[in-house]
Amino acid sequence: MHWSRTLALASAVALLVACEDSLVPREPPPGHTVLRDGVAHAPGLGNPVGTCTICHGADLTGGSNGEPSCFSCHGKKWP
């Protein structure tokens, strides 16, 4: 029984680390020079609908080239 709890805990930790790692790119794209909360953003991040939709999709849920959803870091309360 002890080994099954250990395995479950190890799996949960691995999943959390993998998910968190996938939310933030290791190397920001060129032009993403403004740091906010440890994440590189492009200038104009105060106007995400006018600035970020070009890459992150019209509804900011992710771009067609694999750009992440803005909501994966900012949550549902944003923008």
Side-chain angles (χ1 to χ4, degrees):
M1 178 103 159
H2 176 68
W3 64 269
S4 62
R5 278 191 270 180
T6 302
L7 181 61
L9 179 60
S11 297
V13 169
L15 181 61
L16 287 173
V17 170
C19 289
E20 183 175 327
D21 191 45
S22 68
L23 297 179
V24 181
R26 292 183 192 278
E27 293 293 324
H32 283 61
T33 57
V34 180
L35 288 178
R36 290 284 190 270
D37 299 323
V39 178
H41 293 79
L45 65 146
N47 179 19
V49 174
T51 306
C52 305
T53 55
I54 295 166
C55 294
H56 294 277
D59 57 2
L60 302 173
T61 59
S64 59
N65 292 317
E67 296 87 356
S69 166
C70 298
F71 299 96
S72 62
C73 290
H74 294 284
K76 293 180 182 180
K77 63 181 179 183
W78 180 88

